[in-house]
């Protein structure tokens, strides 16, 4: 059983299914289990950590939440605030689009559009949060958020008969990575390698690893806007020293093709941010890492975190394909 955040208090996330994928297993050359975070109430894993943070803040007398988000974190904050009966303001960058704004408003959030990328929206959110009784809800860089995300690994431990040989996930700001690393330590799986996927143009984790310190990308040029933190969380860089984290960067076109292939294979539509992780399996990256001696041969099983994403429609997928010349 997944521990609950507090006595008598039910978490806002669900225990998501773990399913074997035959198409992904065939592509990766090993058994692939999907951890389906796309079926969470808000469409992504974000509700785990953000729900936990909001519940803890409410216990301490929070009167209003302020969140900055490219979309999914804001939806999680808005959902948690509604559950708690508290008001929330979500600041989104202009890149988020009208569909995201509408979804946030439908959940009862006050929405403000500020800046072109998340980093600029976050500055505005921090200004708004100066008001008395307000609590800032960061999308990825907070210990309570990471703590909430550890529940994902505990559920894997409950669901799987044996320890996986690798976990594949996408990295944006690094919150999911930080939570998974903490969760692996909790269940005694700290030797399981993590393969962290990003797209070029949103590769702040890869850039930090190469530099050996935090660096800021000049701009977010990837279509995977939900990976769009110009600077990864400092905790993500520490995670790479505590666990075996293999960074992989894919092209936007590979991520979008993977989204389309996954829709055909598994009848689920996910965002390009999730497509980055899927692309590692569809493009033979696991086999390449095995060939380089960076992953064991054979691999018994691999877990793919299908992080999901609520900000995607079929029309948007078509537009992305057209933009990238994939028609």
């Amino acid at each position: 059983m997944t521990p609950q955040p507090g006595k008598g208090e039910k978490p806002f996330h669900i225990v998501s299914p773990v399913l074997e994928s035959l198409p992904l297993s065939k592509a990766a050359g090993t058994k692939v289990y999907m951890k389906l975070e796309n079926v969470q109430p808000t469409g992504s894993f974000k509700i785990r950590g953000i729900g936990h943070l909001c519940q803890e803040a409410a216990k301490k007398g929070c009167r209003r939440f302020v969140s900055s988000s490219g979309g999914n974190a804001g939806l999680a904050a808005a959902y948690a605030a509604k559950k708690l009966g508290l008001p929330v303001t979500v600041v989104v960058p202009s890149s988020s689009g009208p569909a995201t704004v509408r979804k946030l408003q439908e959940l009862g959030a006050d929405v403000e559009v500020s800046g072109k990328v998340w980093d600029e929206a976050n500055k505005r959110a921090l200004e708004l949060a100066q008001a008395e009784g307000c609590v800032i809800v960061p999308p990825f860089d907070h210990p309570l958020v990471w703590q909430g995300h550890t529940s994902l690994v505990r559920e894997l431990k409950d669901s799987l008969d044996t320890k996986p040989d690798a976990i594949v996930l996408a990295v944006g700001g690094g919150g999911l990575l930080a939570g998974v690393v903490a969760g692996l330590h909790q269940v005694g799986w700290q030797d399981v390698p993590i393969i962290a996927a990003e797209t070029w143009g949103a590769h702040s984790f890869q850039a930090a690893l190469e530099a050996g310190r935090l660096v800021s990308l000049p701009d977010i040029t990837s279509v995977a806007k939900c990976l769009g933190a110009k600077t990864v969380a400092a905790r993500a860089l520490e995670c790479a020293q505590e666990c075996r984290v293999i960074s992989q960067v894919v092209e936007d076109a590979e991520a979008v093709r993977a989204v389309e292939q996954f829709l055909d294979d598994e009848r689920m539509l996910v965002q390009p941010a999730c497509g980055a992780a899927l692309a590692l399996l569809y493009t033979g990256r696991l086999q390449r890492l095995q060939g380089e001696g960076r992953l064991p041969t054979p691999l018994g099983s691999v877990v793919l975190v299908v992080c999901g994403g609520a900000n995607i429609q079929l029309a948007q997928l078509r537009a992305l394909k057209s933009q990238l010349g994939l028609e």
Side-chain angles (χ1 to χ4, degrees), residues 145-228:
V145 171
W146 312 331
Q147 190 178 57
H149 293 335
T150 62
S151 56
L152 187 153
V153 183
R154 292 196 298 273
E155 289 171 22
L156 284 175
K157 181 80 187 294
D158 291 342
S159 301
L160 297 174
D161 293 330
T162 55
K163 180 172 68 172
D165 286 337
I167 294 176
V168 180
L169 50 77
V171 174
L176 178 60
L177 174 64
V180 167
V181 166
L184 291 174
H185 278 92
Q186 283 180 10
V187 303
W189 284 1
Q190 58 268 28
D191 57 336
V192 174
I194 298 169
I195 307 160
E198 296 174 289
T199 48
W200 292 111
H203 57 289
S204 54
F205 180 57
Q206 167 82 2
L209 284 179
E210 284 183 356
R213 58 180 174 79
L214 294 182
V215 293
S216 292
L217 300 177
D219 196 11
I220 300 299
T221 56
S222 170
V223 300
K225 298 302 178 190
C226 282
L227 296 181

Side-chain angles (χ1 to χ4, degrees), residues 25-87:
S25 298
K26 186 178 177 184
T30 186
K31 189 178 286 188
V32 175
Y33 291 105
M34 306 177 292
K35 182 62 169 160
L36 294 175
E37 290 299 287
N38 55 316
V39 303
Q40 289 292 351
T42 60
S44 86
F45 73 96
K46 293 280 189 182
I47 189 59
R48 291 181 183 274
I50 285 172
H52 180 53
L53 182 146
C54 290
Q55 284 178 310
E56 292 300 308
K59 283 183 206 167
K60 293 175 182 170
C62 163
R63 296 204 296 272
R64 184 180 192 95
F65 296 111
V66 179
S67 170
S68 61
S69 170
N72 289 308
L75 288 167
Y79 181 86
K82 186 173 184 176
K83 285 277 194 182
L84 292 163
L86 290 168

